[in-house]
Amino acid sequence: MKKRYLLLFLLLLFYSLSSTAQKVGLVLSGGGAKGITHIGVIKALEENGIPIDYVAGTSMGAIVGSMYAMGLTPEEMMKIIKSDDFKYWLTGQDEPEYVAYFRNGDQKPEFMGVSFRFNPHDTVKVKSNILPTHIVPTHQLNYAFLALFSQATAISDKNFDRLFVPFRCVASDISEKVPVVFNKGSLGDAVRASMTFPLVFKPIVIDDRLLFDGGIYNNFPVDVMRKDFSPDIMIGSVVAKNPEKPTEDNLILQIENMVMSQTDYVIPKEEGFMFRFDLRNFNMFDFAKADQLYQMGYDSALQKIELIKSAISRRISEEELNKKRQDFRNEFPELKFQKVYIDGIDSLQKLYVEREFHTGNEVFDLNSFKKSYFNLLSDNQISEITPIAVYNKTSGFFDLHLKVKTEDHLKVTMGANISSMASNQAYIGFSYQNLKEYAQTAYLDAQFGRMYNALGLGVRMDAAAKTDFYVKFGFVTHKFDYFEGSSLFYNDNRISYFNQQETYGKLSIGFPLTKKGRIEFGLGGGYLTDHYFQNKSLITSGVKNDQSNYLLGSVFINAESNTLNRPNYATSGSYYAASLQLAGGNHNEQLYYPTERKLEGQELWLQFLGKYDRYVTLSKKVSLGTYGELAISNRKLLPNYTATVIQAPAFRPTLHSTTIFNEGYSANQYAAFGLKPIYNFSDQLHFRTEAYCFVPYKTIYRLSDESAAYSKSFSNIEFISEAAVVLSFRKATLSAFLNYYSAGASHWNVGFNVGILLFNKKFLQ
């Protein structure tokens, strides 16, 4: 009997002690990258056995708090924040290995546009991307929050009190002008809403409420912690402050003052402790300084740790904490999917999407989902996919719900290039896309300029199936005018050295070639005309120029892979291309020099062109580009030297070299290679040098009667070098350059270029 009373007494004593044990609440402010200091604070508290029973946060505080609440250690949180994945989530950049280049249309020199959407009620919705509603694309965040939070949402049954640590976060309803506190639902959606800073990220809609960053109305949710959890002691970590008085030249401060309400960053002394930090040398986007911020939080917490220990007698060892954490995470269901539900598009469009994703009862994992997800987003027809993973207790797998948005039907895009040379260009393009069982795109575009004028139109149809393929037809008519001289600015009265006019059409079918590439099989036909002066001294308006005409057909195989980060002045990624073409047809010449005569002939030849362009990172600031080209053609020499070098494959590795004709870098067979050391001051600004060596197998040279002949093998080598300072924008670039050509009339050239410069491919490219 005595033993029973003793046992009962011990149980009552244990219950009494446990019921009065101190409960600790951790409150984390918003503040962008500066919120990484929160992780250092958590690490110091854990090492010293200070329990964290509840956590509440806003914005970056919600991100850190949610990761802790779902059972991640400080080390695991830091690993995520320092990862390439986190960089992609934060910037919206595409991961090169997940870009389905096969699905991308041909690049166009565009950087702004207006789109039109037609709906069944015969109304038109106009949308402009000149002033976008948000800076960071959403597709990476949509994927990241599904991957990171779906299992925690499942194990908690959407109840945030059932997480490893009970959790709250705050978002803002700008329509009602009130904060919104999340205690249940999708953990990923709650955190996404809490961190959605206006203009940077796209807002999220939850329960018909458009939600933004919680810092707008409550950037330090002490009141939420007090109301929902009533902890005995609160510990606050503050990395934010109320906006300073705005100035006329500081847009960020102006926006902050417009959208952010005043927050009381205080925990009364009788309720707990506060951590504040000297963050004058950090800004909200300094994620590259993660280690410094983490250490600052850790060191600051250690300075107050004895004071905290004296107020909090309860302890939890790291061993016990890690066991509880591991027990919690062991209950996570495996993130595998079985059923797919698609919303937001019609039945025929669903067929297109379903072909990409798994259907029926086939089970697939996160990596398989990721490939399919980014495959579709690489498509010109799909603008956004919002994935939601809902745990199915019956099957033991997740059901995948996809809300799909298609691109607007009609797009009008514009671009321009301003240069000190002859390559001032304007671009306008029209495209119409329609997604049904197949993706269909039609386009019409035009370029206007002193050096280049073009009109192109075409159609493309994509089929998403087990074996993806597309069929496309393109028609191009364009004209290149090449000028002689080294003037910094060209006058309108200059006469071009020669011009090339091409009108051609190509029909091709394409298939994916690995994740990053595609292969095309096709045929084409075109009419090409070259106008030129064989004797440059005759370049005046009163003298007729010579003319060569070519009526050609071709069959070809093209293979191409492209992950370059920019079409002009790339600094990362790679580009590989190879084409094999059998071409032939008739040619005729109307020549006036040295005597007037007409010539005709037929030809058939085989041509191979290969190109390699790759960038590797050597250090945080330095990268190196490597470049190579190979051309092999058995085309015979044409009736005169000038016609021959014009039609021969040309080596043009730099932006400037694409705008001029330098006969010293044309040959029917050549190899070329180059190196491009690059120093990156930032993601936008870099300095680059480029050096290339051009090695023709046999140089084409001019005989005294203006005919062409081959030199001895490998008898000549030419060089190109260039140095440039480049400021890159989202799509366009601003550059100032100095270059040198070992061959040609103008060895040294200096100039600048602003915009984006891309030409349609020539018929034989």
Side-chain angles (χ1 to χ4, degrees), residues 116-128:
F116 303 84
R117 179 178 289 272
F118 308 100
N119 66 30
H121 304 292
D122 296 324
T123 60
V124 179
K125 179 181 178 182
V126 181
K127 183 172 65 178
S128 168

Side-chain angles (χ1 to χ4, degrees), residues 22-68:
Q22 294 166 305
K23 295 292 185 180
V24 180
L26 179 65
V27 185
L28 308 174
S29 79
K34 292 179 286 186
I36 298 171
T37 57
H38 300 326
I39 304 175
V41 170
I42 292 172
K43 178 62 176 175
L45 295 175
E46 283 195 356
E47 281 185 352
N48 287 274
I50 305 299
I52 299 174
D53 300 292
Y54 317 106
V55 62
T58 296
S59 196
M60 189 63 188
I63 295 175
V64 173
S66 64
M67 289 194 291
Y68 188 74

Side-chain angles (χ1 to χ4, degrees), residues 255-440:
I255 294 173
E256 285 183 346
N257 276 268
M258 283 188 284
V259 302
M260 303 288 285
S261 299
Q262 294 290 310
T263 294
D264 188 8
Y265 295 103
V266 174
I267 292 177
K269 289 183 179 180
E270 64 272 15
E271 293 188 71
F273 301 91
M274 290 278 295
F275 292 107
R276 297 180 185 272
F277 312 93
D278 183 4
L279 296 165
R280 287 172 295 180
N281 296 323
F282 301 89
N283 63 57
M284 63 185 301
F285 300 107
D286 271 341
F287 288 93
K289 299 178 181 178
D291 287 329
Q292 295 172 251
L293 290 162
Y294 170 85
Q295 194 65 41
M296 180 179 290
Y298 179 78
D299 293 341
S300 296
L302 288 183
Q303 290 175 7
K304 287 188 177 182
I305 202 67
E306 293 304 323
L307 186 62
I308 295 173
K309 283 181 176 181
S310 65
I312 302 174
S313 58
R314 179 168 151 249
R315 297 286 182 270
I316 181 169
S317 68
E318 287 191 89
E319 293 77 12
E320 181 184 356
L321 180 63
N322 287 332
K323 184 180 184 306
K324 289 178 62 178
R325 179 182 279 130
Q326 194 58 51
D327 289 343
F328 177 80
R329 291 172 61 178
N330 285 341
E331 297 298 318
F332 277 18
E334 195 173 3
L335 193 53
K336 289 190 173 182
F337 310 95
Q338 187 173 47
K339 294 184 179 179
V340 179
Y341 300 92
I342 301 170
D343 190 24
I345 52 179
D346 63 35
S347 57
L348 287 178
Q349 293 170 331
K350 286 181 181 179
L351 288 175
Y352 182 81
V353 175
E354 285 172 353
R355 290 194 191 104
E356 182 63 55
F357 283 98
H358 299 260
T359 57
N361 291 319
E362 183 180 356
V363 176
F364 56 101
D365 60 15
L366 182 65
N367 190 55
S368 180
F369 160 74
K370 187 176 184 180
K371 290 178 180 178
S372 297
Y373 172 76
F374 284 105
N375 262 354
L376 279 176
L377 287 172
S378 298
D379 199 308
N380 292 332
Q381 307 289 341
I382 306 293
S383 64
E384 185 178 4
I385 301 173
T386 304
I388 301 172
V390 179
Y391 185 59
N392 188 322
K393 294 180 181 179
T394 303
S395 67
F397 301 110
F398 285 85
D399 295 336
L400 188 60
H401 295 257
L402 305 173
K403 186 176 181 180
V404 181
K405 290 184 179 180
T406 58
E407 286 284 3
D408 297 327
H409 298 95
L410 178 64
K411 287 185 178 180
V412 181
T413 55
M414 291 150 279
N417 190 75
I418 301 172
S419 174
S420 57
M421 309 304 283
S423 53
N424 294 312
Q425 293 292 129
Y427 167 84
I428 185 168
F430 303 86
S431 63
Y432 180 83
Q433 46 259 342
N434 188 32
L435 179 62
K436 291 298 181 183
E437 186 177 358
Y438 300 96
Q440 306 143 39

Side-chain angles (χ1 to χ4, degrees), residues 593-611:
Y593 183 84
T595 59
E596 182 175 350
R597 62 198 187 280
K598 290 184 178 181
L599 302 172
E600 293 184 357
Q602 293 183 333
E603 54 181 338
L604 180 69
W605 74 96
L606 191 66
Q607 175 179 285
F608 171 84
L609 298 176
K611 184 176 178 180

